[in-house]
Amino acid sequence: MSVGPTIDEFRSVIDAATHRLSASARSAGLTALVPPCPDWTVADLVAHQGMVHRWAQAQILGVEAPFASESDVLDRVAPTDLTDWFVDGARELLATLTTADPDVEAWVFMETGRTPLEFWTRRQAHETTIHAVDAVAAEHGSVPMAAALDVDPVLAADGLDELLVRFAPRGRSKLYDGEPATIGVETTDTGHAWTLSVSAEALAVTDGAPESATAWWRGTAGALYLGLWNRGDEIEVSGDRTTLERWRARHRVR
């Protein structure tokens, strides 16, 4: 796909999403439920994102992560301090992402063709953005429309590329259900497209639209970005809709 956000822009995304998440979490209250993750409260959400920020920072610094799980966080951080603890962790992560050697060697959990610093900055930009949407959903009691969240289309297209090209093909194909399938995914505003080739052995994803497909998933980059992360239902489907339903059932990532 075309070039996405720069590393500086990804850092700005982390900062903005941190502010959105913390503000919505404070407004909703720690006991509010999180509609996209119905087994979570806002406290679980804040603990998760704060833990992940510190885990990502630890990879860059080459040290042990300070928290092992959300429950570990909730056992050790007082509820009255939780949102401030989250914001402090995001600030520390951003400081590390800003000052680290661009060529720092660090572990990453999947190959993307980027340096470790680029990988972790991009990953945390999308991680924090998606979980900020969760906080907004908790505040309002339902997942807002993509347009209301004002997700930048360039960021959304990049997030789609990360999800489809890097995350989705890992492990065995979760979309296969007895028959091969070809799925076209197409943004209606940024001009991006991907082909998902589903077989019993694997899910293969390539740039560009297929000549023919079992199903097409279309929408704005923002709608597809949120929808394929199971944060919304604005995807336009033509052809076999069961493929999207299977995706939603089998790609529930928190």
Side-chain angles (χ1 to χ4, degrees), residues 31-202:
T31 60
L33 297 179
V34 180
C37 305
D39 57 336
W40 267 5
T41 65
V42 169
D44 296 315
L45 168 64
V46 174
H48 171 82
Q49 188 60 79
M51 177 194 69
V52 170
H53 280 167
R54 288 164 172 81
W55 173 68
Q57 181 189 29
Q59 307 316 310
I60 299 164
L61 296 176
V63 300
E64 185 176 351
F67 295 90
S69 65
E70 291 88 6
S71 59
D72 185 23
V73 173
L74 295 173
D75 286 342
R76 293 164 55 190
V77 180
T80 53
D81 298 333
L82 188 61
T83 307
D84 286 341
W85 169 88
F86 159 69
V87 172
D88 289 344
R91 288 175 180 156
E92 292 170 8
L93 171 65
L94 282 167
T96 297
L97 294 175
T98 301
T99 60
D101 184 334
D103 297 318
V104 63
E105 294 186 6
W107 174 81
V108 297
F109 59 83
M110 61 185 179
E111 180 54 51
T112 62
R114 298 168 184 254
T115 68
L117 186 61
E118 291 169 338
F119 169 89
W120 284 112
T121 307
R122 181 199 197 196
R123 178 80 289 278
Q124 291 312 300
H126 291 301
E127 173 86 7
T128 313
T129 297
I130 291 298
H131 285 312
V133 172
D134 290 338
V136 174
E139 180 182 17
H140 296 286
S142 62
V143 180
M145 301 286 282
L149 291 164
D150 195 29
V151 177
D152 176 54
V154 174
L155 176 73
D158 181 83
L160 276 169
D161 193 70
E162 183 198 50
L163 173 59
L164 295 173
V165 177
R166 303 300 176 180
F167 272 103
R170 299 170 77 205
R172 296 189 63 185
S173 174
K174 298 180 179 69
L175 286 177
Y176 184 75
D177 198 33
E179 295 291 337
T182 300
I183 303 164
V185 181
E186 188 173 56
T187 65
T188 56
D189 55 348
T190 65
H192 293 95
W194 298 265
T195 297
L196 281 58
S197 301
V198 181
S199 69
E201 293 75 27

